[in-house]
């Protein structure tokens, strides 16, 4: 055995584990099937603009330990996520706050907004929501639902809201303040030099093989290490023997434009069902860029199929039950430890991925 650990995947989870293992004197080999490190946080430099190749990633956390940890490896700017929603020819602030309600109804005070929402909810007389549409209506009323939730959600899931289960939306936060900060977390920002630099710092001194598909070379790779840290799809590890876990995928159309400023904001959601993409990202605004050109990415939600990049697990009852069966198999493994969003079949924010990796490090190392 040449290595203590074979780490499958060079995303955040694998990179954090590799860094901590190296500090403890362990030898690690990281294999990554893509041609780059960083997983979905990978950024590509296009004329000085850090382009988030797999969608917008804004680091946010209330965990001081995690915040201090990532600041060892990268300098973070003071970006605050304040997306805008476009519905036809109307613009609204997200999350739903007093700027949203004032624009929608021409009102000014929190009590006015609360009265309108409460009146709409009462008129609907929904006691036991039977689907996502009824659940959302019972939380925010008709106007907010019709303009800002319905079309966007149907594009995200590829289904009518009446055909989606109610539990997908457990809550819809309403803020009765004029605060456009999307997150409530205390710490927020984006690495000044992009996330790829963060991944490079974590993996410094660790052997990394790119363009290497672990599942296609499992036998020879397993022979190189005592243990395996597997961050890929858990059902894929078992060759989908119990069935296929479902995901939603995302397709990106990215283009460079000969203009300094295309939309004036990093994130603009398009909530109208008839607009095929869910949002447009203008990457330079994540770093307050002043470049003479700009780069935008349109995001299209799609059904996932084998070979596509899995983004959002469909954590409904059927899929969660199937995952639990795979988890039982994984728990019986002697040499393999599963982690990360794909290994855990969970959608994790970046701070939660890092916290989970550090927790594993504390137990394993």
């Amino acid at each position: 055995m040449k290595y203590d650990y074979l780490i499958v995947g060079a995303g955040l989870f694998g990179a954090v584990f590799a860094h901590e293992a190296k500090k403890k004197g362990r030898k690690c080999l990281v294999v990554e099937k893509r041609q780059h490190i960083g997983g979905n946080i990978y950024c590509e430099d296009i004329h000085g603009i850090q382009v988030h190749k797999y969608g917008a990633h804004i680091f946010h956390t209330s965990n001081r330990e995690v915040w201090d940890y990532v600041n060892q490896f990268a300098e973070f700017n003071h970006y605050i996520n304040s997306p805008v929603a476009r519905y036809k020819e109307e613009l609204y602030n997200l999350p739903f706050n007093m700027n949203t309600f004032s624009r929608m109804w021409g009102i000014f005070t929190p009590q006015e907004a609360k009265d309108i929402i409460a009146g709409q909810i009462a008129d609907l007389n929904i006691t036991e929501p039977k689907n996502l549409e009824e659940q959302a209506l019972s939380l925010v009323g008709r106007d907010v639902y019709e303009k800002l939730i319905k079309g966007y959600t149907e594009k995200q899931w590829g289904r009518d809201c009446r055909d989606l289960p109610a539990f997908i939306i457990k809550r819809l936060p309403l803020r009765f303040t004029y605060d456009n900060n999307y997150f409530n977390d205390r710490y927020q920002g984006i690495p000044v030099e992009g996330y790829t630099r963060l991944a490079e710092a974590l993996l410094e001194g660790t052997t990394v093989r790119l363009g290497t598909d672990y599942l296609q070379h499992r036998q020879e790779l397993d022979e190189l290490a005592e243990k395996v840290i597997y961050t890929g799809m858990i059902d894929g590890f078992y060759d989908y023997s119990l069935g296929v876990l479902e995901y939603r995928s995302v397709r990106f159309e990215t283009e460079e434009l000969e203009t300094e400023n295309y939309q004036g904001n990093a994130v603009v959601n398009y909530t109208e069902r008839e607009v095929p993409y869910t949002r447009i990202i203008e990457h330079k605004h994540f770093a307050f860029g002043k470049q003479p050109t700009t780069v935008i990415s349109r995001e299209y939600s799609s059904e996932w199929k084998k070979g596509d990049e899995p983004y959002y697990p469909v954590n409904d009852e059927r899929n969660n039950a199937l995952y639990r069966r795979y988890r039982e198999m994984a728990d019986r493994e002697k040499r393999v430890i599963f982690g990360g969003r794909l290994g855990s079949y969970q959608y994790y924010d970046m701070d939660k991925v890092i916290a989970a990796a550090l927790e594993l490090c504390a137990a394993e190392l």
Side-chain angles (χ1 to χ4, degrees), residues 9 16 32 36 39 89 109 131 162 188 205 238 288 292 330 339:
V16 168
E32 168 59 57
H36 61 74
E89 300 306 311
T109 67
N131 52 51
R162 286 167 290 191
Q188 186 174 170
Y238 292 106
F288 317 104

Side-chain angles (χ1 to χ4, degrees), residues 58-62 67 183-189 195 349-352:
I58 297 100
F59 198 94
H60 59 97
T61 187
S62 293
W67 180 246
F183 300 118
N184 290 315
D185 291 310
R186 181 177 180 183
Y187 309 107
Q188 186 174 170
Y195 285 102
D349 288 329
M350 288 178 283
D351 64 323
K352 303 300 190 299

Side-chain angles (χ1 to χ4, degrees), residues 47 89 111 140 274 333 354 363:
H47 300 310
E89 300 306 311
Q111 192 58 54
V140 299
E274 288 68 28
E333 297 284 346
I354 292 171

